[in-house]
Amino acid sequence: MSVATTVAKRSTTGTRRTSLRVVTPEERTDSAWFPVLCVALLLAGLAAVLGLNTAMAQDSFEVTALEERTAELSDTHAALEQSINDHSAPQNLATEARAMGMVPSDTAAFIDIEKGRILGVATVADKRKGFTVDAASTATVEEQKSSDENASSHDTAADDEPGGTESADTPETPSD
C-alpha cells in the first residue's frame, strides 16, 4: 500500500515577515502629550456636564417660581370672577335696580342688530303698589310679622262692613 502525501509549499514571492523584538524607551514613536490630551478631554467633558446640570437646576428654580406665580394669579382670577358673578347675579341686580328706583316691566322689546329693527313694543312700567314678591324677599322678620298682623286686622275690618268688599282705607263717596 502506498500513501500519497502532498506537502504545501510556501510561496517565496510574498512579503517577508519581520521578527519580533523588544523596543526600548528611546525608540518609542508616541508622544508624551497623548495622556495630557486624554486628561484634558476628560476634564472638559466633566466641566460641560457640571455646567449643564447647573443650568438645568437654575431653570428648575425659575420654573418653580413661575408655577407659584401662575397659581397665585389663577387664585386671583377665580376670586375676581366670583366677585363679578356675585355682583351680576339676578337677585343682586334686582336689589340694586330697586334701590335706584327701577321697576320691572310687563312688556319687552328686542333689537335685531342684523336687520336693524326693533321687535316688540316696550311700554313705560308703573310702580306697583302693595305686596310684591321682591318685597317679601327683602323684608325683615319684624316687617313680615307686622305685615301679617295688618293683613289679618284688615280682613276682619272688611268682614264687619256691609258688603264686605270695601276696605277701611278707601274713602267712601257720598250717595245722592
Side-chain angles (χ1 to χ4, degrees):
M1 272 204 152
S2 80
V3 176
T5 59
T6 56
V7 177
K9 291 185 179 181
R10 290 188 183 189
S11 160
T12 58
T13 60
T15 58
R16 278 191 88 188
R17 181 186 264 181
T18 57
S19 63
L20 296 175
R21 65 183 180 91
V22 177
V23 178
T24 61
E26 292 85 23
E27 294 177 330
R28 270 194 310 191
T29 58
D30 63 324
S31 170
W33 288 105
F34 182 72
V36 172
L37 178 65
C38 288
V39 170
L41 286 174
L42 179 66
L43 290 176
L46 289 174
V49 168
L50 179 64
L52 286 174
N53 282 340
T54 304
M56 287 174 45
Q58 181 65 28
D59 290 343
S60 175
F61 288 130
E62 187 174 339
V63 165
T64 302
L66 290 174
E67 285 175 347
E68 289 174 359
R69 179 72 176 145
T70 301
E72 178 184 324
L73 290 175
S74 178
D75 290 343
T76 303
H77 182 262
L80 289 174
E81 276 187 346
Q82 182 64 36
S83 175
I84 289 170
N85 289 339
D86 287 345
H87 287 294
S88 63
Q91 65 270 19
N92 291 336
L93 289 176
T95 303
E96 290 176 18
R98 277 191 311 277
M100 292 171 32
M102 299 174 78
V103 295
S105 177
D106 293 331
T107 61
F110 302 95
I111 301 174
D112 186 357
I113 295 176
E114 293 175 1
K115 296 179 182 176
R117 294 187 304 177
I118 298 175
L119 305 172
V121 177
T123 58
V124 177
D126 293 327
K127 187 169 184 174
R128 296 182 183 111
K129 294 182 181 180
F131 179 77
T132 63
V133 175
D134 294 334
S137 66
T138 58
T140 62
V141 175
E142 291 82 20
E143 290 174 343
Q144 288 177 352
K145 286 181 182 177
S146 66
S147 174
D148 291 341
E149 290 172 3
N150 288 342
S152 65
S153 66
H154 178 72
D155 290 340
T156 317
D159 290 340
D160 292 343
E161 291 182 10
T165 56
E166 293 181 343
S167 71
D169 296 336
T170 309
E172 294 183 26
T173 55
S175 51
D176 291 282

